[in-house]
Amino acid sequence: MSELAKCVTLEKVAHNEEYIGCDVKGQVPMLNCCCENGPKQLSTAIDVDAVLEDLDASGVCVKAVSSENAGRYLCEYIFYTSLKINRNTAFVHVPPINQPYSARAMAQALSLLYLQC
């Protein structure tokens, strides 16, 4: 969940560097990166654009978009380390419930998105 998200956001890329946001304990990753000597960025093997086209064609009432910046914080760190293990990884940001979509609408959209991935 992202307070900044206004719709479902399917991430395409995760970056290894420039992590400056602190976690709840005030810590940042060592050297401000996920994996020392790791690639600068990793991309999902999932065809995000095709998934979003299929979701749109399904008639679901939730708007969905792609992104290439998961925020250089915990979300992007998790996405990067997951992609390092398996490129068939998806990461989705969703807005808070009822801002603007109901829990039922979000569940329907996420279910379809999962099936299309």
Side-chain angles (χ1 to χ4, degrees), residues 2-9 62-63 65 93-96 99-101:
S2 169
E3 295 278 334
L4 302 174
K6 303 296 181 213
C7 59
V8 171
T9 306
V62 172
K63 181 179 178 186
V65 297
H93 276 114
V94 297
Q99 295 180 21
Y101 305 109

Side-chain angles (χ1 to χ4, degrees), residues 15-16 27 32-33 35-36 40 61-62 72 93 106 117:
H15 300 87
N16 188 29
Q27 303 294 309
N32 301 94
C33 71
C35 302
E36 190 175 351
K40 219 174 170 135
C61 66
V62 172
R72 300 300 205 298
H93 276 114
M106 290 295 299
C117 282

Side-chain angles (χ1 to χ4, degrees), residues 39-94:
K40 219 174 170 135
Q41 69 182 33
L42 294 172
S43 300
T44 181
I46 296 168
D47 186 343
V48 170
D49 294 326
V51 169
L52 293 175
E53 285 176 21
D54 290 346
L55 186 65
D56 188 46
S58 75
V60 69
C61 66
V62 172
K63 181 179 178 186
V65 297
S66 66
S67 167
E68 293 187 3
N69 183 351
R72 300 300 205 298
Y73 186 59
L74 297 175
C75 296
E76 190 137 12
Y77 188 94
I78 292 165
F79 189 33
Y80 185 92
T81 55
S82 297
L83 286 170
K84 203 158 178 356
I85 295 166
N86 185 336
R87 299 291 288 278
N88 289 314
T89 297
F91 195 96
V92 181
H93 276 114
V94 297

Side-chain angles (χ1 to χ4, degrees), residues 13-31:
V13 176
H15 300 87
N16 188 29
E17 302 172 334
E18 300 179 16
Y19 286 81
I20 57 172
C22 298
D23 65 15
V24 296
K25 293 184 178 182
Q27 303 294 309
V28 295
M30 191 178 303
L31 302 175

